[in-house]
Amino acid sequence: MCGIVGAIAQRDVSQILVEGLKRLEYRGYDSAGLAIYNDNKIQRLRRLGKVSELDQALQETPLPGGLGIAHTRWATHGEPSERNAHPHMSEDNIALVHNGIIENHDELRDELKAKGYVFSSDTDTEVMAHCLHEELKTSHSLLEALQKTTKKLDGAYGTVAIDTNEPDKMVVARSGSPLVIGKGIGEYFVASDQLALLPVTRDFIYLEEGEVAEVRRDGVTILDSNGQKVERDFEKSDIQHDAVDKGRFRHFMLKEIFEQPQVVNDTLEGRLVNHKIIIETLGANANKVFADTKAIQIIACGTSYHAALVAKYWIEDYLQIPCLVEIASEYRYRQTAVLPNSLFVTISQSGETADTMAALKKAKEQGYLGTLTVCNSPASSMVRESDFTLLTRAGTEIGVASTKAFTAQLVSLMLLMVTIGKAQGLEESKEKSIAEALEHLPSEIQAALDQAEAIEDLSERFAEKHHTLFLGRGQQYPIAMEAALKLKEISYIHAEAYAAGELKHGPLALIDKEMPIVVVAPKDNLLEKLKSNIEEVRSRGGQLFVFADESANIQSSDGITVFPIKSQYTITAPMVYTIPMQLLSYYVAIIKGTDVDQPRNLAKSVTVE
Ligand code: AGP
């Protein structure tokens, strides 16, 4: 989704802005632009396509100046084009960038047109630029004008603006779309994600909802939504520099797939000690809430939703507590009934997904016992809005297709399940058996990764296909769903997942010798049932690719290719079987030559509806 970078310094800032945009490329975008103040005027450069094209244009037409704002745009209102790219300007003096969506843009546009403003783009953002210009006429400062502008906006925004009449500052505002301010020596920066600013600073302040700020060379003034001054200290980021470095890997996605043994270790560190699971940092009164919990409602989107579906199997199996799972975009808009004594859980890698965030806000009005987020971004909106937080410690995930964050979510959800269980008297033997499975998980994941070459060979058999079916049963059904999502996202091959028992109710009609069917077949109580489903497909000529436990006793033969996977523990098998699915999608995408880390039309963090 869109990215913002801004800088005010004694030195030229254009390369700082471009480097910042490059570090946000992973979020997904279709155009890029910047505006630099110099010599009483603002100059703007925008390009459709990659930041490298903007960079190239900047090499040809350098824009010196110590004040500037920049943006990568992911189109919502108006097609991807240079004229719709940010920054947007009003007259020649205001330039503004914006993440989010302004819902009342039509109404505001009509008002502004009536006042004589001429629009040069189809975006909702240009409305903000003209609105700011209009408010300046009756304001004492750019900041005051921004405050008045934000009062007129319905929707979500993270925004930064500059004005030729006040060239000693940037003004910023946040509502529903994150913004961070970074501090250098005699220079300050803003961005939608601190990753963009790591080459220039590690000292950050996050703007809270409804706040506006003035960012100067000598300091920052923050005002809350009532116009009251806010004092907040800069905090050192512990985020790793190499998060945006591919290292020896060809793509971030592959690097992130291979990081998973370490991610599991990190997520377990200090939480799995001496075969016991202890999480002490969820938030005040968490244990009391867990002891009273009689039902759990989980809300998420995409890959995080699949993690929730796996957790449902665990929670109902081990805790015998009803667990409801729903997609955020559905939950937020329907009349929902809350079971008595329910805990509300969101799962999100980014902690900024608009639909999940809206569901969380709705839940807070609905009488849940408490709200908890399982999240990978410590400073995110979801973490701030939830009563309790369980951080997933996957590290920054750059590939748009989520891999290591999913595994970290599953491990975290297992820890959460045990923690809730312990508050309700879960037997020690059950905790011990889960702890043992988790202790072996990093090595089992590593063993699956060691098969990468063989999976690469296998991927050739999918590259020419237009469709693929994934089958699983029980807790592996959501893994089949996740596998189908991965293949769709990065190889653009249509893929669907079915609970294998459901095949005979319709999808069997799709089976012929052209249709590849991938089956996730670990050693569990459903294996024999799954073997019958495999036979149903085989007898109809489908091409089966079965990822099966070595002891499953399924042999490769005509129409069946069996791929052995080692997974000793049933409960952690979803994490282990996820690995070959991720690798398969990755290698198919490589053969197809797609943009693996930034697949077409997708964004890393979906901060709009
Ligand atoms: C996963 O590969 C996707 N890119 C997407 O489905 C993602 O999981 C979804 O948008 C939810 O994001 P979140 O976890 O940041 O809330």
Side-chain angles (χ1 to χ4, degrees):
M1 218 106 292
C2 308
I4 288 177
V5 192
I8 183 160
Q10 304 288 357
R11 51 180 168 155
D12 288 343
V13 294
S14 63
Q15 277 312 315
I16 296 173
L17 299 180
V18 168
E19 173 60 23
L21 291 186
K22 284 184 179 161
R23 298 167 77 86
L24 296 180
E25 282 190 296
Y26 76 96
R27 296 167 65 93
Y29 68 103
D30 46 60
S31 53
L34 51 70
I36 305 278
Y37 169 83
N38 193 30
D39 224 1
N40 294 324
K41 58 179 189 294
I42 290 174
Q43 286 186 294
R44 180 169 61 155
L45 256 189
R46 297 178 295 172
R47 286 293 178 271
L48 179 64
K50 296 286 177 189
V51 176
S52 56
E53 285 164 46
L54 179 71
D55 197 9
Q56 181 60 38
L58 205 54
Q59 305 303 326
E60 288 155 18
T61 320
L63 295 182
L67 171 65
I69 55 177
H71 190 263
T72 44
R73 173 175 187 256
W74 189 79
T76 55
H77 295 70
E79 56 171 15
S81 66
E82 196 169 308
R83 63 188 281 277
N84 285 331
H86 302 208
H88 287 286
M89 295 192 65
S90 186
E91 309 292 332
D92 285 332
N93 65 300
I94 297 280
L96 178 145
V97 291
H98 161 228
N99 285 1
I101 288 181
I102 303 305
E103 285 167 2
N104 58 339
H105 64 100
D106 279 336
E107 183 188 319
L108 290 171
R109 189 180 291 106
D110 290 346
E111 283 174 22
L112 289 159
K113 275 185 177 168
K115 286 179 178 153
Y117 285 96
V118 176
F119 283 77
S120 59
S121 78
D122 308 317
T123 64
D124 51 338
T125 301
E126 193 181 359
V127 166
M128 291 173 74
H130 293 314
C131 207
L132 182 62
H133 188 274
E134 177 64 15
E135 292 301 336
L136 257 175
K137 294 176 184 166
T138 54
S139 303
H140 296 101
S141 67
L142 186 61
L143 188 64
E144 186 188 329
L146 183 64
Q147 275 179 303
K148 288 185 191 164
T149 302
T150 58
K151 300 272 181 284
K152 297 197 153 170
L153 305 175
D154 290 339
Y157 51 84
T159 187
V160 188
I162 55 174
D163 175 8
T164 52
N165 296 311
E166 296 184 44
D168 58 338
K169 68 191 63 153
M170 304 178 272
V171 291
V172 303
R174 173 203 167 134
S175 180
S177 192
L179 271 184
V180 63
I181 301 173
K183 178 185 175 186
I185 300 169
E187 52 190 20
Y188 283 83
F189 311 94
V190 295
S192 48
D193 184 329
Q194 55 174 262
L195 265 188
L197 302 178
L198 288 180
V200 284
T201 182
R202 301 189 70 83
D203 296 321
F204 296 107
I205 282 179
Y206 268 88
L207 227 52
E208 298 282 349
E209 284 295 284
E211 289 179 347
V212 296
E214 185 178 273
V215 181
R216 304 173 303 274
R217 279 186 193 85
D218 62 352
V220 174
T221 305
I222 303 175
L223 303 179
D224 67 16
S225 52
N226 300 317
Q228 298 300 310
K229 210 163 168 183
V230 176
E231 295 300 337
R232 192 170 302 140
D233 292 333
F234 282 86
E235 284 180 21
K236 273 249 171 294
S237 164
D238 56 4
I239 203 164
Q240 297 300 314
H241 262 294
D242 65 3
V244 284
D245 181 356
K246 286 200 271 266
R248 66 188 169 90
F249 294 96
R250 187 167 161 193
H251 291 99
F252 283 110
M253 182 180 173
L254 191 61
K255 175 179 175 237
E256 288 158 3
I257 290 173
F258 273 85
E259 279 172 0
Q260 289 176 105
Q262 188 55 45
V263 162
V264 174
N265 278 324
D266 290 347
T267 302
L268 293 176
E269 198 189 312
R271 294 162 167 176
L272 174 58
V273 183
N274 295 332
H275 316 304
K276 291 211 174 308
I277 290 163
I278 305 153
I279 319 180
E280 284 169 343
T281 52
L282 290 162
N285 286 331
N287 267 335
K288 163 90 181 71
V289 169
F290 292 168
D292 293 342
T293 296
K294 299 265 182 290
I296 298 174
Q297 170 75 64
I298 313 184
I299 296 295
C301 304
T303 291
S304 300
Y305 168 69
H306 297 150
L309 290 173
V310 178
K312 175 184 167 76
Y313 283 92
W314 296 335
I315 289 168
E316 297 201 346
D317 184 1
Y318 278 80
L319 309 187
Q320 305 283 292
I321 292 178
C323 177
L324 312 174
V325 176
E326 191 166 343
I327 293 166
S329 54
E330 288 297 314
Y331 180 87
R332 65 181 286 192
Y333 286 120
R334 68 179 186 87
Q335 291 295 331
T336 46
V338 180
L339 288 169
N341 287 2
S342 287
L343 175 67
F344 183 86
V345 177
T346 53
I347 306 174
S348 177
Q349 186 286 126
S350 62
E352 302 293 348
T353 301
D355 286 323
T356 313
M357 191 61 207
L360 169 59
K361 284 193 173 145
K362 171 177 169 173
K364 288 173 86 170
E365 310 294 317
Q366 285 194 305
Y368 282 96
L369 274 183
T371 57
L372 183 149
T373 189
V374 177
C375 188
N376 197 41
S377 308
S380 63
S381 305
M382 262 174 243
V383 168
R384 273 179 288 191
E385 291 281 330
S386 301
D387 301 327
F388 313 115
T389 298
L390 178 53
L391 290 176
T392 47
R393 301 184 188 161
T396 306
E397 190 177 64
I398 303 282
V400 164
S402 190
T403 53
K404 63 174 182 173
F406 179 62
T407 299
Q409 285 169 344
L410 290 175
V411 171
S412 303
L413 286 162
M414 192 171 287
L415 296 175
L416 179 65
M417 182 269 286
V418 174
T419 307
I420 295 172
K422 283 172 76 170
Q424 304 198 359
L426 182 78
E427 296 121 72
E428 239 177 73
S429 59
K430 286 191 176 166
E431 177 186 6
K432 212 170 151 216
S433 70
I434 293 171
E436 188 186 332
L438 284 170
E439 282 157 7
H440 287 86
L441 184 57
S443 59
E444 291 196 328
I445 288 180
Q446 187 56 54
L449 288 170
D450 291 344
Q451 309 229 48
E453 258 179 56
I455 294 171
E456 188 174 3
D457 292 344
L458 192 69
S459 64
E460 286 168 19
R461 300 181 57 188
F462 291 78
E464 297 302 317
K465 301 291 178 189
H466 298 291
H467 309 277
T468 301
L469 276 182
F470 287 86
L471 302 181
R473 291 193 79 133
Q475 55 172 359
Q476 298 291 351
Y477 170 40
I479 299 306
M481 294 168 81
E482 173 59 10
L485 176 64
K486 284 289 90 80
L487 191 68
K488 274 186 272 217
E489 270 187 300
I490 61 167
S491 75
Y492 315 151
I493 292 175
H494 171 236
E496 293 302 328
Y498 272 91
E502 184 68 9
L503 261 193
K504 55 188 174 291
H505 299 290
L508 258 189
L510 294 170
I511 307 294
D512 63 16
K513 62 181 181 15
E514 292 306 317
M515 178 66 95
I517 298 109
V518 179
V519 187
V520 186
K523 179 185 63 178
D524 60 19
N525 60 338
L526 291 166
L527 182 61
E528 291 310 314
K529 302 272 174 216
L530 190 63
K531 284 184 183 172
S532 308
N533 303 136
I534 290 171
E535 278 312 311
E536 286 164 12
V537 173
R538 192 179 176 198
S539 55
R540 286 159 180 89
Q543 290 176 41
L544 283 149
F545 299 88
V546 184
F547 289 79
D549 192 81
E550 285 178 328
S551 63
N553 203 18
I554 308 174
Q555 315 302 337
S556 286
S557 63
D558 201 21
I560 302 192
T561 304
V562 177
F563 201 95
I565 297 291
K566 279 192 203 130
S567 168
Q568 203 189 330
Y569 302 91
T570 302
I571 188 160
T572 45
M575 290 81 133
V576 180
Y577 279 78
T578 293
I579 307 300
M581 299 298 118
Q582 294 171 345
L583 287 168
L584 182 65
S585 297
Y586 174 78
Y587 288 119
V588 173
I590 292 294
I591 299 173
K592 298 206 73 180
T594 59
D595 190 348
V596 171
D597 284 331
Q598 292 164 40
R600 68 185 180 200
N601 306 335
L602 298 183
K604 181 67 186 161
S605 170
V606 185
T607 50
V608 295
E609 269 200 76

